[in-house]
Amino acid sequence: MSQHRPRRIDREAVRERLDRVTDPELDRSIVDLDYVEEIEIDGERVEVSLTLPTAWCSPAFAWMMVADARDALFAHPAIAEATVRLRDHMHADEINEGVNSDEPFESAFGDADGDIEEVRRTLDGKARLARQYRAVSTLLDGGLTSEQIVGLTRGDVAIGGDLATVRIDDTLSVCVEADPIRRYLEKATETGVVDAPDDGLFRTPEGGAIPLAEFETVHRRGRLARTNMSSQGHVCERLGDARIGGPTRVTTD
Amino acid sequence: MYQYEGEDVFVIDGHVHWWDASKENIKHEGGEQFIRCFYDYHTGFTPEERQWSLEEYRKYDKERMVRDVFGDGHADMGIFQPTYLNEFYKEGFNTIDRCAELAEEHPSRFIVNGRFDPREGEAGLRELERQKEEYDVDGVKVYTAEWRGDSKGWRLDSDEAFEYLEKCVELGIRNVHPHKGPTIRPLNRDAFDVADVDDAATSFPELNFVVEHVGLPRLDDFCWIAAQEPNVYGGLAVAAPLAKSRPRKFGEIMGELLYWLGEDRILFGSDYALWEPEWLIEAVMEAEMTPEQRDEYGVELDLEVKKKIMGENAARLYDIDIERQKEILRDDGVSEQFGLADQYGEGAAADD
């Protein structure tokens, strides 16, 4: 199946691709977070530079973002060559060299033990839980009871435009704002926690079904995950601001 | 002593440092990056008119510290939490002996904590004995992500660490302050992961574990552990400045901490010289939860709760009788130098 490959690519398309990459700790787009410092386009070749809020950002998290950004660019049909460079980081050399030559994390960092995918699973789990908190809050605001919420399956939810329709039983459906539900489903699906139509819609932090007696605790743990992320997001933002004005600044846009 | 709404608030700053990050003391680029990272925290959160220059920040003298913490800083006492970082700094970053030098000049004001690193084996155990013997430490700060040779960190639930915790019990060192902050190295083997506190806290119920920086950026993991382990506490250093820069967010964090840990297990700390206690204490004392947050969390952040957080909880852990301590502070050199004696008078409130 041969497709015509568009010859030219523009900055907007590059940014749109990068927008799909999240800071795994904060669960927010690296474009929104202003980590993208420079985009250079030369025909089918794209080079992107990222700067994180501090030179001490976890190398594992930094690696994930650089690698995800590179993957996101490669997935664009018009991009033949993509290089992503991390600037001003404690381990920029190892990360840039490793990611851009398709080395695995473990060989770029000889002293790493354990599995970087495990780190990703942990962070994804937190992101899912934080998104679940918003989705469940939306349903509670929409009038659903905790009993109804723990009984929902993936198949009970349909999203159309700005609204999500949630089927409670054969006679009753409720419409709520779609965005929190959509964002939750994205992460829950991506992480394989909610897949088939008869899978329970919401889960415990460990991924199991939520016993009704634990609904409140699970919901509060979701709130806690969300508070943690947004608080850390604020810390990162302040560090980033300080860095841009401070002595570690190397580049300007 | 800080006055709030006409009431005395006895402040024990649970986290202060007297560090040396001067260029002469740096031996590894990590040392330079470390102090610059600290400086980013400093400039990122400190009100502009109160910011230091990087040179002042690298190394400050005793007089400045005493003035910043007690003279202008509202704190009545401060607890030194040493951080060695011997791989980065020739003479260490913030060692017990350096801190003790200052504490000896102001024994009624400072509490000196020790530190240990289980990778130091037998010699480290002897060193811990020396710290108890020489400085009578009641607590230790442990920095699990400290580099040492090829090792980029250690865990509090390891056999080696348990040997040290046993030694703490034996010596009567009751308070263990693990620093749990942002992840740096060692990479995916996350030395600032708070999970190791869980097993240590269960295994040593006679010790108190004060997790510094309330686990941020793992506040969630920390709270979940603390909810199950009654001897786990939270130190507010690094979370506290949010009271100034993002009061609503700070209210949320306090809501979580009060909900999961309760008001008896939260300790204030400025992290001086990352930040000066003066504006920080004012910001925390002014902080309020919104009515929505109070409803949502079902907790209060009122004056009684703040008094506990600011000093009473630390006093309990470090065996300080606040009323007796006020009498001592009233006549000490710091009160004399800064004219603070009246603050500690018998029930008399200060004029300002």
Side-chain angles (χ1 to χ4, degrees), chain B residues 136-163:
Chain B
D136 194 24
V137 297
D138 278 334
V140 282
K141 165 87 180 291
V142 291
Y143 201 81
T144 51
E146 183 159 354
W147 292 14
R148 184 180 162 84
D150 291 339
S151 161
K152 301 289 187 271
W154 55 277
R155 291 184 62 93
L156 205 59
D157 56 3
S158 62
D159 291 346
E160 296 76 24
F162 271 30
E163 213 181 310

PDB file of all heavy atoms in Angstrom, chain B residues 136-163:
ATOM      1  N   ASP B 136      25.186  14.494  71.995  1.00  0.00           N
ATOM      2  CA  ASP B 136      23.947  13.988  72.578  1.00  0.00           C
ATOM      3  C   ASP B 136      22.761  14.119  71.613  1.00  0.00           C
ATOM      4  O   ASP B 136      21.704  14.649  71.966  1.00  0.00           O
ATOM      5  CB  ASP B 136      23.648  14.721  73.894  1.00  0.00           C
ATOM      6  CG  ASP B 136      22.572  13.991  74.695  1.00  0.00           C
ATOM      7  OD1 ASP B 136      22.409  12.770  74.482  1.00  0.00           O
ATOM      8  OD2 ASP B 136      21.886  14.637  75.502  1.00  0.00           O
ATOM      9  N   VAL B 137      22.949  13.651  70.408  1.00  0.00           N
ATOM     10  CA  VAL B 137      21.892  13.813  69.402  1.00  0.00           C
ATOM     11  C   VAL B 137      20.661  12.972  69.745  1.00  0.00           C
ATOM     12  O   VAL B 137      20.783  11.843  70.226  1.00  0.00           O
ATOM     13  CB  VAL B 137      22.405  13.456  67.980  1.00  0.00           C
ATOM     14  CG1 VAL B 137      23.514  14.403  67.561  1.00  0.00           C
ATOM     15  CG2 VAL B 137      22.872  12.011  67.887  1.00  0.00           C
ATOM     16  N   ASP B 138      19.496  13.546  69.490  1.00  0.00           N
ATOM     17  CA  ASP B 138      18.230  12.823  69.667  1.00  0.00           C
ATOM     18  C   ASP B 138      17.651  12.378  68.331  1.00  0.00           C
ATOM     19  O   ASP B 138      16.653  11.674  68.273  1.00  0.00           O
ATOM     20  CB  ASP B 138      17.193  13.731  70.339  1.00  0.00           C
ATOM     21  CG  ASP B 138      17.376  13.762  71.843  1.00  0.00           C
ATOM     22  OD1 ASP B 138      17.913  12.782  72.388  1.00  0.00           O
ATOM     23  OD2 ASP B 138      16.992  14.774  72.459  1.00  0.00           O
ATOM     24  N   GLY B 139      18.277  12.896  67.265  1.00  0.00           N
ATOM     25  CA  GLY B 139      17.752  12.573  65.939  1.00  0.00           C
ATOM     26  C   GLY B 139      18.866  12.449  64.921  1.00  0.00           C
ATOM     27  O   GLY B 139      19.998  12.864  65.177  1.00  0.00           O
ATOM     28  N   VAL B 140      18.532  11.860  63.783  1.00  0.00           N
ATOM     29  CA  VAL B 140      19.477  11.789  62.668  1.00  0.00           C
ATOM     30  C   VAL B 140      18.764  12.132  61.372  1.00  0.00           C
ATOM     31  O   VAL B 140      17.592  11.809  61.190  1.00  0.00           O
ATOM     32  CB  VAL B 140      20.099  10.374  62.494  1.00  0.00           C
ATOM     33  CG1 VAL B 140      21.206  10.127  63.508  1.00  0.00           C
ATOM     34  CG2 VAL B 140      19.042   9.290  62.558  1.00  0.00           C
ATOM     35  N   LYS B 141      19.520  12.811  60.501  1.00  0.00           N
ATOM     36  CA  LYS B 141      19.009  13.044  59.149  1.00  0.00           C
ATOM     37  C   LYS B 141      19.644  11.989  58.256  1.00  0.00           C
ATOM     38  O   LYS B 141      20.842  11.724  58.365  1.00  0.00           O
ATOM     39  CB  LYS B 141      19.465  14.445  58.697  1.00  0.00           C
ATOM     40  CG  LYS B 141      19.347  14.736  57.209  1.00  0.00           C
ATOM     41  CD  LYS B 141      17.984  15.267  56.874  1.00  0.00           C
ATOM     42  CE  LYS B 141      17.842  15.556  55.378  1.00  0.00           C
ATOM     43  NZ  LYS B 141      18.633  16.685  54.907  1.00  0.00           N
ATOM     44  N   VAL B 142      18.850  11.354  57.408  1.00  0.00           N
ATOM     45  CA  VAL B 142      19.441  10.395  56.473  1.00  0.00           C
ATOM     46  C   VAL B 142      19.092  10.787  55.037  1.00  0.00           C
ATOM     47  O   VAL B 142      17.955  11.138  54.735  1.00  0.00           O
ATOM     48  CB  VAL B 142      19.010   8.935  56.768  1.00  0.00           C
ATOM     49  CG1 VAL B 142      19.626   8.460  58.084  1.00  0.00           C
ATOM     50  CG2 VAL B 142      17.505   8.770  56.806  1.00  0.00           C
ATOM     51  N   TYR B 143      20.124  10.751  54.216  1.00  0.00           N
ATOM     52  CA  TYR B 143      19.987  11.215  52.836  1.00  0.00           C
ATOM     53  C   TYR B 143      20.205  10.013  51.936  1.00  0.00           C
ATOM     54  O   TYR B 143      21.340   9.699  51.566  1.00  0.00           O
ATOM     55  CB  TYR B 143      21.036  12.305  52.587  1.00  0.00           C
ATOM     56  CG  TYR B 143      20.733  13.221  51.438  1.00  0.00           C
ATOM     57  CD1 TYR B 143      19.855  14.286  51.600  1.00  0.00           C
ATOM     58  CD2 TYR B 143      21.325  13.029  50.196  1.00  0.00           C
ATOM     59  CE1 TYR B 143      19.571  15.137  50.549  1.00  0.00           C
ATOM     60  CE2 TYR B 143      21.052  13.890  49.144  1.00  0.00           C
ATOM     61  CZ  TYR B 143      20.174  14.936  49.320  1.00  0.00           C
ATOM     62  OH  TYR B 143      19.901  15.780  48.277  1.00  0.00           O
ATOM     63  N   THR B 144      19.120   9.339  51.609  1.00  0.00           N
ATOM     64  CA  THR B 144      19.250   8.037  50.948  1.00  0.00           C
ATOM     65  C   THR B 144      19.770   8.121  49.514  1.00  0.00           C
ATOM     66  O   THR B 144      20.149   7.107  48.945  1.00  0.00           O
ATOM     67  CB  THR B 144      17.893   7.289  50.956  1.00  0.00           C
ATOM     68  OG1 THR B 144      16.885   8.169  50.453  1.00  0.00           O
ATOM     69  CG2 THR B 144      17.509   6.868  52.365  1.00  0.00           C
ATOM     70  N   ALA B 145      19.780   9.316  48.934  1.00  0.00           N
ATOM     71  CA  ALA B 145      20.264   9.428  47.542  1.00  0.00           C
ATOM     72  C   ALA B 145      21.683   9.956  47.477  1.00  0.00           C
ATOM     73  O   ALA B 145      22.132  10.408  46.439  1.00  0.00           O
ATOM     74  CB  ALA B 145      19.342  10.324  46.729  1.00  0.00           C
ATOM     75  N   GLU B 146      22.407   9.868  48.583  1.00  0.00           N
ATOM     76  CA  GLU B 146      23.775  10.380  48.561  1.00  0.00           C
ATOM     77  C   GLU B 146      24.687   9.441  47.765  1.00  0.00           C
ATOM     78  O   GLU B 146      24.610   8.226  47.894  1.00  0.00           O
ATOM     79  CB  GLU B 146      24.281  10.517  50.003  1.00  0.00           C
ATOM     80  CG  GLU B 146      25.666  11.117  50.075  1.00  0.00           C
ATOM     81  CD  GLU B 146      25.970  11.731  51.443  1.00  0.00           C
ATOM     82  OE1 GLU B 146      25.059  11.793  52.293  1.00  0.00           O
ATOM     83  OE2 GLU B 146      27.113  12.147  51.638  1.00  0.00           O
ATOM     84  N   TRP B 147      25.548  10.050  46.953  1.00  0.00           N
ATOM     85  CA  TRP B 147      26.499   9.239  46.187  1.00  0.00           C
ATOM     86  C   TRP B 147      27.614   8.779  47.119  1.00  0.00           C
ATOM     87  O   TRP B 147      28.032   9.490  48.025  1.00  0.00           O
ATOM     88  CB  TRP B 147      27.125  10.066  45.053  1.00  0.00           C
ATOM     89  CG  TRP B 147      26.179  10.451  43.981  1.00  0.00           C
ATOM     90  CD1 TRP B 147      24.823  10.389  44.026  1.00  0.00           C
ATOM     91  CD2 TRP B 147      26.523  10.964  42.690  1.00  0.00           C
ATOM     92  NE1 TRP B 147      24.290  10.842  42.845  1.00  0.00           N
ATOM     93  CE2 TRP B 147      25.313  11.205  42.006  1.00  0.00           C
ATOM     94  CE3 TRP B 147      27.727  11.249  42.048  1.00  0.00           C
ATOM     95  CZ2 TRP B 147      25.289  11.719  40.709  1.00  0.00           C
ATOM     96  CZ3 TRP B 147      27.692  11.771  40.762  1.00  0.00           C
ATOM     97  CH2 TRP B 147      26.485  11.992  40.090  1.00  0.00           C
ATOM     98  N   ARG B 148      28.119   7.590  46.816  1.00  0.00           N
ATOM     99  CA  ARG B 148      29.290   7.101  47.533  1.00  0.00           C
ATOM    100  C   ARG B 148      29.985   6.089  46.633  1.00  0.00           C
ATOM    101  O   ARG B 148      29.483   4.993  46.413  1.00  0.00           O
ATOM    102  CB  ARG B 148      28.860   6.444  48.846  1.00  0.00           C
ATOM    103  CG  ARG B 148      30.034   5.981  49.704  1.00  0.00           C
ATOM    104  CD  ARG B 148      29.517   5.328  50.992  1.00  0.00           C
ATOM    105  NE  ARG B 148      30.564   4.524  51.595  1.00  0.00           N
ATOM    106  CZ  ARG B 148      31.511   5.009  52.402  1.00  0.00           C
ATOM    107  NH1 ARG B 148      31.532   6.285  52.696  1.00  0.00           N
ATOM    108  NH2 ARG B 148      32.443   4.211  52.895  1.00  0.00           N
ATOM    109  N   GLY B 149      31.120   6.474  46.108  1.00  0.00           N
ATOM    110  CA  GLY B 149      31.834   5.612  45.162  1.00  0.00           C
ATOM    111  C   GLY B 149      30.929   5.301  43.985  1.00  0.00           C
ATOM    112  O   GLY B 149      30.357   6.202  43.378  1.00  0.00           O
ATOM    113  N   ASP B 150      30.758   4.016  43.693  1.00  0.00           N
ATOM    114  CA  ASP B 150      29.910   3.625  42.569  1.00  0.00           C
ATOM    115  C   ASP B 150      28.435   3.632  42.942  1.00  0.00           C
ATOM    116  O   ASP B 150      27.571   3.525  42.085  1.00  0.00           O
ATOM    117  CB  ASP B 150      30.265   2.199  42.117  1.00  0.00           C
ATOM    118  CG  ASP B 150      31.643   2.162  41.466  1.00  0.00           C
ATOM    119  OD1 ASP B 150      32.102   3.231  41.018  1.00  0.00           O
ATOM    120  OD2 ASP B 150      32.248   1.076  41.426  1.00  0.00           O
ATOM    121  N   SER B 151      28.157   3.722  44.215  1.00  0.00           N
ATOM    122  CA  SER B 151      26.767   3.645  44.653  1.00  0.00           C
ATOM    123  C   SER B 151      26.103   5.013  44.563  1.00  0.00           C
ATOM    124  O   SER B 151      26.674   6.023  44.932  1.00  0.00           O
ATOM    125  CB  SER B 151      26.719   3.130  46.096  1.00  0.00           C
ATOM    126  OG  SER B 151      25.474   3.452  46.670  1.00  0.00           O
ATOM    127  N   LYS B 152      24.879   5.015  44.049  1.00  0.00           N
ATOM    128  CA  LYS B 152      24.159   6.281  43.915  1.00  0.00           C
ATOM    129  C   LYS B 152      22.986   6.359  44.894  1.00  0.00           C
ATOM    130  O   LYS B 152      22.042   7.100  44.681  1.00  0.00           O
ATOM    131  CB  LYS B 152      23.657   6.451  42.482  1.00  0.00           C
ATOM    132  CG  LYS B 152      24.779   6.426  41.438  1.00  0.00           C
ATOM    133  CD  LYS B 152      25.639   7.695  41.492  1.00  0.00           C
ATOM    134  CE  LYS B 152      26.642   7.749  40.361  1.00  0.00           C
ATOM    135  NZ  LYS B 152      27.927   7.107  40.704  1.00  0.00           N
ATOM    136  N   GLY B 153      23.064   5.554  45.941  1.00  0.00           N
ATOM    137  CA  GLY B 153      22.012   5.650  46.948  1.00  0.00           C
ATOM    138  C   GLY B 153      21.848   4.359  47.726  1.00  0.00           C
ATOM    139  O   GLY B 153      22.491   3.358  47.427  1.00  0.00           O
ATOM    140  N   TRP B 154      20.992   4.418  48.755  1.00  0.00           N
ATOM    141  CA  TRP B 154      20.766   3.235  49.581  1.00  0.00           C
ATOM    142  C   TRP B 154      19.326   3.267  50.065  1.00  0.00           C
ATOM    143  O   TRP B 154      18.618   4.256  49.862  1.00  0.00           O
ATOM    144  CB  TRP B 154      21.748   3.214  50.748  1.00  0.00           C
ATOM    145  CG  TRP B 154      21.762   4.450  51.609  1.00  0.00           C
ATOM    146  CD1 TRP B 154      22.449   5.616  51.352  1.00  0.00           C
ATOM    147  CD2 TRP B 154      21.066   4.671  52.841  1.00  0.00           C
ATOM    148  NE1 TRP B 154      22.226   6.532  52.350  1.00  0.00           N
ATOM    149  CE2 TRP B 154      21.393   5.984  53.283  1.00  0.00           C
ATOM    150  CE3 TRP B 154      20.216   3.886  53.621  1.00  0.00           C
ATOM    151  CZ2 TRP B 154      20.874   6.526  54.469  1.00  0.00           C
ATOM    152  CZ3 TRP B 154      19.702   4.422  54.793  1.00  0.00           C
ATOM    153  CH2 TRP B 154      20.039   5.730  55.202  1.00  0.00           C
ATOM    154  N   ARG B 155      18.914   2.167  50.662  1.00  0.00           N
ATOM    155  CA  ARG B 155      17.520   2.081  51.109  1.00  0.00           C
ATOM    156  C   ARG B 155      17.433   1.913  52.627  1.00  0.00           C
ATOM    157  O   ARG B 155      18.237   1.228  53.232  1.00  0.00           O
ATOM    158  CB  ARG B 155      16.813   0.904  50.429  1.00  0.00           C
ATOM    159  CG  ARG B 155      16.579   1.104  48.944  1.00  0.00           C
ATOM    160  CD  ARG B 155      15.790  -0.085  48.384  1.00  0.00           C
ATOM    161  NE  ARG B 155      14.475  -0.201  48.990  1.00  0.00           N
ATOM    162  CZ  ARG B 155      13.368   0.340  48.474  1.00  0.00           C
ATOM    163  NH1 ARG B 155      13.431   1.014  47.344  1.00  0.00           N
ATOM    164  NH2 ARG B 155      12.202   0.185  49.076  1.00  0.00           N
ATOM    165  N   LEU B 156      16.396   2.530  53.174  1.00  0.00           N
ATOM    166  CA  LEU B 156      16.186   2.487  54.619  1.00  0.00           C
ATOM    167  C   LEU B 156      15.688   1.118  55.088  1.00  0.00           C
ATOM    168  O   LEU B 156      15.690   0.828  56.278  1.00  0.00           O
ATOM    169  CB  LEU B 156      15.173   3.578  54.984  1.00  0.00           C
ATOM    170  CG  LEU B 156      15.185   4.148  56.392  1.00  0.00           C
ATOM    171  CD1 LEU B 156      16.533   4.755  56.732  1.00  0.00           C
ATOM    172  CD2 LEU B 156      14.100   5.213  56.532  1.00  0.00           C
ATOM    173  N   ASP B 157      15.228   0.303  54.154  1.00  0.00           N
ATOM    174  CA  ASP B 157      14.746  -1.024  54.564  1.00  0.00           C
ATOM    175  C   ASP B 157      15.769  -2.125  54.261  1.00  0.00           C
ATOM    176  O   ASP B 157      15.437  -3.296  54.244  1.00  0.00           O
ATOM    177  CB  ASP B 157      13.389  -1.342  53.914  1.00  0.00           C
ATOM    178  CG  ASP B 157      13.427  -1.243  52.401  1.00  0.00           C
ATOM    179  OD1 ASP B 157      14.513  -0.987  51.824  1.00  0.00           O
ATOM    180  OD2 ASP B 157      12.354  -1.422  51.778  1.00  0.00           O
ATOM    181  N   SER B 158      17.026  -1.739  54.022  1.00  0.00           N
ATOM    182  CA  SER B 158      18.055  -2.746  53.766  1.00  0.00           C
ATOM    183  C   SER B 158      18.568  -3.310  55.095  1.00  0.00           C
ATOM    184  O   SER B 158      18.423  -2.688  56.149  1.00  0.00           O
ATOM    185  CB  SER B 158      19.208  -2.122  52.986  1.00  0.00           C
ATOM    186  OG  SER B 158      19.805  -1.087  53.756  1.00  0.00           O
ATOM    187  N   ASP B 159      19.199  -4.475  55.043  1.00  0.00           N
ATOM    188  CA  ASP B 159      19.754  -5.084  56.260  1.00  0.00           C
ATOM    189  C   ASP B 159      20.764  -4.152  56.914  1.00  0.00           C
ATOM    190  O   ASP B 159      20.810  -4.018  58.137  1.00  0.00           O
ATOM    191  CB  ASP B 159      20.461  -6.413  55.927  1.00  0.00           C
ATOM    192  CG  ASP B 159      19.457  -7.474  55.506  1.00  0.00           C
ATOM    193  OD1 ASP B 159      18.252  -7.259  55.737  1.00  0.00           O
ATOM    194  OD2 ASP B 159      19.877  -8.498  54.930  1.00  0.00           O
ATOM    195  N   GLU B 160      21.581  -3.507  56.055  1.00  0.00           N
ATOM    196  CA  GLU B 160      22.623  -2.610  56.581  1.00  0.00           C
ATOM    197  C   GLU B 160      21.978  -1.437  57.330  1.00  0.00           C
ATOM    198  O   GLU B 160      22.414  -1.054  58.412  1.00  0.00           O
ATOM    199  CB  GLU B 160      23.500  -2.060  55.446  1.00  0.00           C
ATOM    200  CG  GLU B 160      24.306  -3.104  54.690  1.00  0.00           C
ATOM    201  CD  GLU B 160      23.465  -3.924  53.719  1.00  0.00           C
ATOM    202  OE1 GLU B 160      22.397  -3.430  53.289  1.00  0.00           O
ATOM    203  OE2 GLU B 160      23.847  -5.074  53.410  1.00  0.00           O
ATOM    204  N   ALA B 161      20.931  -0.880  56.734  1.00  0.00           N
ATOM    205  CA  ALA B 161      20.267   0.262  57.370  1.00  0.00           C
ATOM    206  C   ALA B 161      19.625  -0.176  58.692  1.00  0.00           C
ATOM    207  O   ALA B 161      19.653   0.563  59.684  1.00  0.00           O
ATOM    208  CB  ALA B 161      19.228   0.870  56.435  1.00  0.00           C
ATOM    209  N   PHE B 162      19.053  -1.371  58.696  1.00  0.00           N
ATOM    210  CA  PHE B 162      18.409  -1.861  59.920  1.00  0.00           C
ATOM    211  C   PHE B 162      19.418  -1.972  61.065  1.00  0.00           C
ATOM    212  O   PHE B 162      19.089  -1.733  62.224  1.00  0.00           O
ATOM    213  CB  PHE B 162      17.723  -3.216  59.663  1.00  0.00           C
ATOM    214  CG  PHE B 162      16.299  -3.067  59.187  1.00  0.00           C
ATOM    215  CD1 PHE B 162      15.914  -1.949  58.444  1.00  0.00           C
ATOM    216  CD2 PHE B 162      15.329  -4.026  59.476  1.00  0.00           C
ATOM    217  CE1 PHE B 162      14.600  -1.795  57.995  1.00  0.00           C
ATOM    218  CE2 PHE B 162      14.011  -3.874  59.040  1.00  0.00           C
ATOM    219  CZ  PHE B 162      13.656  -2.766  58.297  1.00  0.00           C
ATOM    220  N   GLU B 163      20.644  -2.336  60.711  1.00  0.00           N
ATOM    221  CA  GLU B 163      21.681  -2.423  61.730  1.00  0.00           C
ATOM    222  C   GLU B 163      21.904  -1.043  62.372  1.00  0.00           C
ATOM    223  O   GLU B 163      22.087  -0.917  63.578  1.00  0.00           O
ATOM    224  CB  GLU B 163      22.971  -2.889  61.058  1.00  0.00           C
ATOM    225  CG  GLU B 163      23.839  -3.744  61.940  1.00  0.00           C
ATOM    226  CD  GLU B 163      25.108  -4.153  61.200  1.00  0.00           C
ATOM    227  OE1 GLU B 163      24.993  -4.651  60.053  1.00  0.00           O
ATOM    228  OE2 GLU B 163      26.184  -3.935  61.753  1.00  0.00           O
TER     229      GLU B 163
END
